[in-house]
């Protein structure tokens, strides 16, 4: 596995690969890899000759009071994991490489970034869409893989690619969960032992809502019940629990053909998100 930190070097590498007729699968990450990220590598390998993973904790998607500084980082560990799963190239730029001067150009998707995480984290999606555009311009992938855990991010990236006619196919990979149901996240390591145990409330709430919907129960009642359970969970502070259409992210009052139940909960200063996409409820 190669590790490249320089934009002109990776461009050269990509040019050579494309000249040799190789297809490129791209897995953008912020590192501190877990099984969720590695499943994206598996997905990329299914349809591409070469897998490039970027590891870059992108400062422009963190608000001033968010966890940019404390976001977990361990490049040696990440390299070993990426290599073990068959990643061909890790692109690992530093902040100066990606943002050598003040950024005056931003890529912004409207409307669907104003709800859920976008409503709570001002400027977050503008940072994501800008860095993903930069990464796409650098890596020129045929396919890019994103995780369903960041369902809103996936919808936003899809819309950006469609609206701007970007020459890349976006694929989604399912959420990977711990044995107790907690969605894998780089932030999980920052939970205290007690909070880690209680964090199972996110997935439990989502599964209970799905079950209730499939039993024909009223969505508003299921949501209210879940909110009460979260309120009673030690250490948990609910940021949002919402039902939305997908990928348009409009508010829904009943779950018809396809709906997204999305949740964000703080434990201390660790913000966890999770979601469940319910298709054709019975
Ligand atoms: O999902 C993430 O890890 C990040 O938002 C991404 C897509 C790598 C952009 O920094």
């Amino acid at each position: 596995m190669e590790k490249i930190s320089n934009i002109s070097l990776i461009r050269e590498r990509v040019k050579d690969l494309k000249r040799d007729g190789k297809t490129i699968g791209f897995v953008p990450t912020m590192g501190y890899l877990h099984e969720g990220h590695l499943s994206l590598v598996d997905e990329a390998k299914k349809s591409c000759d070469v897998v490039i993973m970027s590891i870059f904790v992108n400062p422009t998607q963190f608000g001033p009071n968010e966890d940019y500084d404390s976001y977990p980082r361990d490049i040696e560990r990440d390299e070993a994991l990426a290599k073990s799963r068959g990643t061909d190239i890790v692109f690992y730029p530093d902040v100066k490489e990606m943002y050598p001067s003040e950024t005056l150009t931003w890529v912004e998707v409207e409307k669907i970034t104003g709800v859920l995480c976008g409503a709570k984290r001002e400027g977050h999606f503008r940072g994501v869409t800008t860095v993903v555009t930069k990464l796409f311009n650098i890596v020129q992938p045929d396919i890019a893989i994103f995780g369903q855990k960041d369902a809103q991010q996936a919808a936003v990236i899809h819309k950006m690619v469609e609206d701007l006619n970007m020459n890349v196919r976006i694929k989604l990979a399912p959420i990977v969960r711990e044995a107790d149901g907690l969605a894998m996240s780089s932030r999980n390591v920052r939970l205290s032992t007690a909070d880690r145990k209680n964090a199972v409330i996110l997935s439990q709430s989502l599964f209970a809502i799905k079950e209730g919907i499939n039993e024909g129960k009223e969505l508003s009642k299921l949501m209210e019940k879940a909110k009460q359970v979260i309120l009673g969970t030690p250490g948990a502070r609910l940021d949002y629990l919402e039902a939305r259409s997908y990928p348009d992210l409009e508010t829904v009052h009943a779950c018809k053909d396809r709906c997204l139940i999305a949740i964000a909960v703080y434990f201390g200063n660790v913000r966890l998100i999770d979601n469940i996409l319910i298709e054709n409820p019975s």
Side-chain angles (χ1 to χ4, degrees):
M1 189 184 77
E2 292 170 70
K3 178 170 136 203
I4 300 178
S5 296
N6 178 282
I7 294 175
S8 33
L9 284 181
I10 188 121
R11 278 192 197 281
E12 279 306 308
R13 218 36 212 100
V14 167
K15 206 163 113 197
D16 290 347
L17 289 165
K18 294 221 164 190
R19 201 188 38 228
D20 294 344
K22 304 283 188 214
T23 52
I24 295 175
F26 180 45
V27 177
T29 80
M30 297 207 299
Y32 214 78
L33 303 179
H34 50 69
E35 191 53 35
H37 297 113
L38 300 174
S39 74
L40 307 183
V41 174
D42 296 344
E43 195 55 45
K45 284 181 86 68
K46 278 187 204 159
S47 46
C48 292
D49 300 316
V50 175
V51 177
I52 302 182
M53 173 192 284
S54 62
I55 298 180
F56 178 61
V57 185
N58 172 41
T60 66
Q61 68 189 73
F62 289 82
N65 299 319
E66 293 185 356
D67 58 348
Y68 174 69
D69 289 331
S70 56
Y71 197 85
R73 294 161 169 89
D74 187 341
I75 186 63
E76 273 91 43
R77 177 182 168 278
D78 285 349
E79 270 184 83
L81 286 170
K83 184 175 174 193
S84 73
R85 210 55 164 250
T87 304
D88 299 287
I89 302 174
V90 161
F91 176 50
Y92 177 61
D94 63 15
V95 175
K96 266 255 152 298
E97 186 69 10
M98 288 298 282
Y99 298 106
S101 59
E102 185 191 355
T103 299
L104 301 179
T105 309
W106 297 94
V107 179
E108 205 157 352
V109 174
E110 296 178 350
K111 198 169 159 189
I112 57 172
T113 54
V115 300
L116 302 174
C117 288
K120 303 286 180 173
R121 303 184 64 188
E122 212 197 314
H124 167 68
F125 283 113
R126 180 178 92 146
V128 170
T129 43
T130 301
V131 82
V132 170
T133 301
K134 284 163 75 72
L135 291 166
F136 283 176
N137 284 337
I138 294 165
V139 173
Q140 308 259 315
D142 296 277
I143 295 176
I145 325 285
F146 290 84
Q148 178 66 35
K149 188 181 141 260
D150 297 292
Q152 184 176 16
Q153 170 172 282
V156 169
I157 300 285
H158 258 293
K159 192 72 185 113
M160 172 185 85
V161 165
E162 181 189 309
D163 286 351
L164 298 182
N165 304 97
M166 290 181 172
N167 197 16
V168 55
R169 191 148 66 83
I170 305 300
K171 268 193 162 185
L172 284 195
I175 298 174
V176 180
R177 298 184 178 281
E178 302 285 358
D180 66 354
L182 178 67
M184 289 199 182
S185 162
S186 306
R187 289 186 169 101
N188 290 353
V189 292
R190 296 185 44 231
L191 293 167
S192 69
T193 312
D195 289 345
R196 166 63 192 85
K197 228 170 117 212
N198 291 325
V200 73
I201 196 63
L202 280 88
S203 57
Q204 277 177 353
S205 304
L206 295 172
F207 297 151
I209 292 169
K210 182 177 178 179
E211 202 179 304
I213 289 171
N214 283 327
E215 285 165 0
K217 294 190 178 144
E218 216 177 294
L219 179 61
S220 60
K221 289 201 176 125
L222 293 166
M223 300 287 276
E224 200 37 55
K225 191 171 166 204
K227 283 180 188 170
Q228 290 312 318
V229 174
I230 295 160
L231 254 163
T233 302
R237 185 160 54 85
L238 182 65
D239 198 22
Y240 67 72
L241 172 64
E242 292 186 35
R244 299 255 163 193
S245 61
Y246 196 82
D248 299 336
L249 304 182
E250 307 274 5
T251 304
V252 293
H253 300 290
C255 200
K256 298 231 174 74
D257 309 336
R258 183 194 228 196
C259 82
L260 178 80
I261 312 291
I263 187 169
V265 176
Y266 279 98
F267 283 91
N269 62 1
V270 183
R271 185 174 181 274
L272 301 178
I273 59 169
D274 198 352
N275 68 80
I276 197 162
L277 197 55
I278 304 174
E279 315 240 15
N280 305 314
S282 45

